[in-house]
Amino acid sequence: MRLVNRRPTPKGGLLLGAVPLLVLAVLYVVAAAARHAENPADKILPTFGMMVQAMGTLLAQPDPLSGRLIFWADTFASLQRLGLGLGIASLTALLLGLALGVLPLLRASLGPVVTTVAVVPPVALLPVLFIVFGLGETAKVALIVIGVAPFMVRDLALHVSAIPAEQMLKAQTLGASSWQLALRLALPMAMPRLIASLRLSLGPAWVYLIAAEAVASDIGLGYRIFLVRRYLSMDIILPYVAWISLLAIACDLALLWLSRWAFPWAHGAKR
Amino acid sequence: MTAGLALALTLTACGGGASDPAEPRTDFAIGWSIYAGWMPWPYAEQTGIVKKWADKYGITIDVVQVNDYVESVNQYTAGKLDGVTVASMDALTIPAASGKDTSAIIIGDYSNGNDGVVLKGAGNIAAIRGRTVYLAELSVSHYLLARGLESAGLALTDVKTVNTSDADIVSAFASPQANAAVAWNPQLSEIARMPGASAVFTSAQIPGEILDLLAVDTATLAANPNLGKALAGIWYETMAIMTRQDATGAEARAAMAKLAGTTPEAFEAQLKTTYLYAEPASAVQAASAPELVTAMTRVRDFSYSKGLFGPGAPSADTVGMAFPGNRTLGNPQNVKLRFDASFMQMAADGKL
C-alpha cells in the first residue's frame, strides 16, 4: 500500500499523538534533573515535584490576606472575563453580522467602519481603555470585545452575504419578507459559522485577556504569571501555562460538540 | 506546557555550550537597564572607558542593554550574563534565592527619593488607609509601600494593592478612579506632577535601604579577578567624569540623558534624588557599615513575608548573606549574596 493511503486505527492514532508529548516530558525531566544536580535551588527548570509543591499551596491553602484559594479564584476571575468578553463579542457578531450580511444598504454604510475598527491593534489602545473604562473589570472585558468582535462581525457578514442568490430568490418567490429571510433563512445558516468563528477567536481572546491582566489587576491567571515572573517562579508559571492550554482545549472541544449537537446538518460530511 | 518544554529544550541546548563559570575566560557580558544610577555603564562603553580598562587586564567586556529590567535580572540568573545592574532586594530574591552565588562588587548609589508613594487629594501617608494602590507588586515599590505604611502605624492589610507594570503605571494613574500609586523614576516624576497628586512618602525617608548594585557571578569572579578589577576601574573613572561640576561633567550627564531617552534637565532632576557613591572610599564605608546589615534584614524579612524565597523556604534565614569583615546574615552554610568591597577598596587605594 502507498504511504499516503496508510491511516492509523483510532488506538494507533492516540498512541502516535502521545509519543511526541511523552518524549518532550521525558526530555524536560532529564534537563530539570541535570540542572538540579548542579544547583538544588535552581528555579529555571523546576522538577515536577517542585511544581506540585508550589501548586499545592495555591490549590488548597487559603490566602492569608483574602481567604481565597488562589488558583481557583484566578481561574474563575479569568474565565469570567473571557466568558463576558466572548459573549458580548458573539452577540454583537450575530446581530451586526447578520444585519450587514442580509441588508446591502446597511453593509454599504457600516461596512467601512467595522473594517476600520478591525485593523486597529487593540493592545495599542490599552492606555486609552484605562482612561475611558477605568482600571476595573470593564477595561479588561472591553479589550477582549474590541479585539475579537470586529473579526467575528466581518466573518459572519461575509458568510451571510455569500448565501446563494437562488436560495434568497426562492424564499422570496414563496412570499418571505425581509424579516423572515433574515430569521428563517440566514440565521440558521449563520449559527454554525458563528460557533466556528468563536472557536477561532479563542486564541486571540486569551492573548487579550492575559495582556489586560498583566497591565493592572489583582487576580487572574495572567496576573499571577506576570506577578511571579518577578522572581522567576517557573514552578508556578509552568503549571499555570499548562492549565491555560487545557482550558483552551476544553473550550474548543465544548464548542465543537455544541455545534455538532445543535447543527448536525452543518457537519454532515464529517460525521 | 509546550512553552515550558520549548524553554527547557532551548536551555539544555544552550547550557551545553555555556562555559563553566569556574574556568578562566577572557570574554564577559554585563547587562544593564535604564535607570539614573546605571547610565554610567553605557556611557563608559560609548566613550571607550570600558575598552580601556578591559584592554589593561587583557579581557573584553560587552556591556549589553536589556530593555526590561526584570528580564535583565532573569537573564543573569539563567547564566546568559556574567553580571547585571540590580537593586539589592532583587539581587537577593531573584538570583540569590535561585541558588546562584552572587557578589555585589560595586555599590553604585541608593535611591534618595527616586521611589515614592503618590496620593491624589491628600498631603500625608496616613490618608492611604483603605485605598487601592497601583504598583509593581513584589518590587522595591512594594517594599517602599510597606515602609511608608509602617511609618504611619498602618499595615499592608490596610490597603488593597493592584499589580501594575512599571511601563503602564503612568496611564493607569491618569485614570480618574486611581488615587494611590507607588512608582520609581522617571515614572514617579510624571505621576507626581498630575493634578491633585503629591508624593507623600519617598525613599529619601529611608536612605540607604534601596541600594543599586553591580552584581557578578561569584564563581566567575573567583576564577577571573581581573573582571572585578576592570569593572571597578571603569566605574570610578566614569563617576569622576560625571560628577564634575564643569562643562565636561555636564556634557557627560547630557550624553547619559540621551542614552536614557530623556532630556538633560529631567536627568539632572533624577540625579538629585539618587545618592551616588562617587568616591570608592565612601562606597567601601557603606558596604562595611552596620546600617547595611540592618537594611538588608528589613529587606529580607519583607521578601520572606511575601513568599519571595519560594514556597519551600522554612524561614527568612534561608538565603544567607555575607558582608565585609566576615559578618553574615541568615544561614552561613547557604550564603548566596555577598557584599564584596575588595574591588572598591582597590579603587580607593589606587591599586587598579
Side-chain angles (χ1 to χ4, degrees):
Chain A
M1 202 200 290
R2 285 188 183 86
L3 193 58
V4 289
N5 291 323
R6 283 178 180 270
R7 282 174 205 287
T9 58
K11 263 190 191 165
L14 266 182
L15 191 70
L16 284 176
V19 166
L21 288 175
L22 278 176
V23 169
L24 284 176
V26 169
L27 274 177
Y28 180 87
V29 170
V30 171
R35 284 191 78 100
H36 281 267
E38 212 171 279
N39 168 16
D42 181 67
K43 280 181 160 182
I44 295 162
L45 294 188
T47 59
F48 282 113
M50 290 167 72
M51 293 192 218
V52 169
Q53 197 195 4
M55 290 306 292
T57 319
L58 297 184
L59 276 161
Q61 287 178 20
D63 178 46
L65 262 184
S66 58
R68 295 184 289 214
L69 294 173
I70 289 177
F71 176 80
W72 300 111
D74 282 342
T75 304
F76 179 73
S78 286
L79 286 182
Q80 193 182 26
R81 288 166 188 153
L82 196 71
L84 265 174
L86 285 175
I88 296 171
S90 302
L91 198 67
T92 314
L94 185 63
L95 297 177
L96 198 58
L98 197 63
L100 287 179
V102 175
L103 303 172
L105 279 177
L106 196 67
R107 189 153 70 234
S109 87
L110 285 188
V113 179
V114 173
T115 311
T116 309
V117 175
V119 297
V120 175
V123 179
L125 288 178
L126 266 178
V128 182
L129 287 184
F130 283 155
I131 293 165
V132 177
F133 295 109
L135 293 160
E137 294 300 299
T138 324
K140 296 180 188 79
V141 173
L143 180 69
I144 299 176
V145 174
I146 293 174
V148 165
F151 159 78
M152 292 178 73
V153 171
R154 293 182 74 196
D155 185 64
L156 206 70
L158 278 174
H159 185 72
V160 171
S161 62
I163 292 175
E166 291 84 352
Q167 223 168 332
M168 301 289 275
L169 274 176
K170 199 200 284 175
Q172 288 175 57
T173 319
L174 295 170
S177 64
S178 292
W179 183 242
Q180 282 171 323
L181 274 176
L183 283 193
R184 305 290 297 275
L185 198 156
L187 180 63
M189 295 193 74
M191 282 310 289
R193 181 66 179 201
L194 183 69
I195 293 181
S197 131
L198 184 57
R199 284 177 64 198
L200 287 175
S201 301
L202 279 176
W206 274 100
V207 174
Y208 298 130
L209 173 73
I210 306 282
E213 289 182 340
V215 166
S217 63
D218 58 354
I219 195 168
L221 296 168
Y223 158 77
R224 195 71 49 197
I225 288 176
F226 276 83
L227 179 67
V228 302
R229 167 179 169 270
R230 266 209 80 85
Y231 55 104
L232 210 61
S233 248
M234 298 305 287
D235 52 353
I236 294 174
I237 296 178
L238 293 182
Y240 261 68
V241 172
W243 176 237
I244 289 175
S245 316
L246 267 178
L247 286 176
I249 293 171
C251 281
D252 189 62
L253 286 178
L255 284 171
L256 177 64
W257 176 84
L258 174 72
S259 182
R260 285 195 170 154
W261 174 77
F263 313 104
W265 51 267
H267 298 272
K270 291 168 209 143
R271 293 190 102 190
Chain B
M1 184 52 101
T2 336
L5 290 169
L7 175 77
L9 295 177
T10 326
L11 288 172
T12 19
C14 301
S19 46
D20 187 344
E23 290 281 312
R25 288 189 285 140
T26 54
D27 295 342
F28 303 94
I30 304 293
W32 67 278
S33 48
I34 291 181
Y35 173 72
W38 294 331
M39 296 319 291
W41 289 109
Y43 173 77
E45 166 92 4
Q46 202 179 52
T47 50
I49 300 174
V50 170
K51 187 169 170 4
K52 178 185 145 193
W53 284 89
D55 285 349
K56 178 171 179 184
Y57 289 101
I59 56 177
T60 59
I61 299 174
D62 197 7
V63 176
V64 187
Q65 180 176 7
V66 184
N67 272 327
D68 182 296
Y69 167 64
V70 176
E71 200 47 43
S72 73
V73 184
N74 286 350
Q75 290 285 316
Y76 164 74
T77 307
K80 304 291 170 204
L81 295 167
D82 299 300
V84 71
T85 54
V86 61
S88 52
M89 178 178 150
D90 298 318
L92 177 66
T93 58
I94 307 174
S98 306
K100 188 178 175 83
D101 198 321
T102 294
S103 291
I105 58 165
I106 294 173
I107 297 186
D109 68 272
Y110 65 77
S111 171
N112 195 21
N114 261 340
D115 298 74
V117 181
V118 180
L119 296 183
K120 281 183 191 161
N124 81 57
I125 180 82
I128 202 170
R129 181 197 281 270
R131 293 199 188 190
T132 297
V133 186
Y134 295 87
L135 80 169
E137 286 186 4
L138 310 182
S139 68
V140 287
S141 291
H142 211 155
Y143 175 73
L144 182 77
L145 174 67
R147 295 285 281 130
L149 289 165
E150 212 177 297
S151 76
L154 300 171
L156 275 169
T157 43
D158 288 319
V159 296
K160 185 172 178 293
T161 54
V162 172
N163 188 45
T164 310
S165 83
D166 55 315
D168 293 306
I169 195 120
V170 178
S171 56
F173 197 64
S175 153
Q177 76 187 91
N179 58 21
V182 189
W184 57 80
N185 266 325
Q187 291 94 323
L188 174 66
S189 50
E190 286 298 321
I191 65 173
R193 230 187 293 144
M194 285 180 192
S198 51
V200 293
F201 189 84
T202 76
S203 53
Q205 282 152 274
I206 51 164
E209 287 186 34
I210 301 178
L211 285 176
D212 299 304
L213 314 168
L214 178 73
V216 180
D217 182 272
T218 304
T220 304
L221 192 65
N224 306 279
N226 279 344
L227 174 65
K229 292 181 194 169
L231 290 170
I234 295 165
W235 181 255
Y236 290 108
E237 181 174 338
T238 314
M239 278 293 113
I241 299 172
M242 86 176 281
T243 50
R244 279 169 66 158
Q245 293 310 318
D246 59 10
T248 317
E251 202 178 299
R253 293 192 295 275
M256 290 181 201
K258 200 169 175 203
L259 286 164
T262 183
T263 61
E265 294 73 32
F267 188 68
E268 296 279 359
Q270 289 172 32
L271 283 180
K272 280 203 179 72
T273 48
T274 309
Y275 182 91
L276 282 174
Y277 288 108
E279 297 294 330
S282 65
V284 171
Q285 203 192 353
S288 316
E291 285 80 13
L292 178 60
V293 182
T294 315
M296 289 313 292
T297 308
R298 286 183 186 281
V299 168
R300 62 130 202 201
D301 289 348
F302 169 79
S303 305
Y304 175 71
S305 75
K306 299 310 264 174
L308 298 190
F309 296 147
S315 79
D317 285 326
T318 313
V319 183
M321 283 179 267
F323 300 88
N326 291 324
R327 286 168 305 160
T328 56
L329 178 61
N331 183 356
Q333 309 304 320
N334 188 39
V335 170
K336 293 297 179 194
L337 182 62
R338 300 161 198 277
F339 288 88
D340 179 350
S342 59
F343 298 98
M344 299 187 291
Q345 185 68 57
M346 283 181 217
D349 297 343
K351 286 186 181 154
L352 288 173

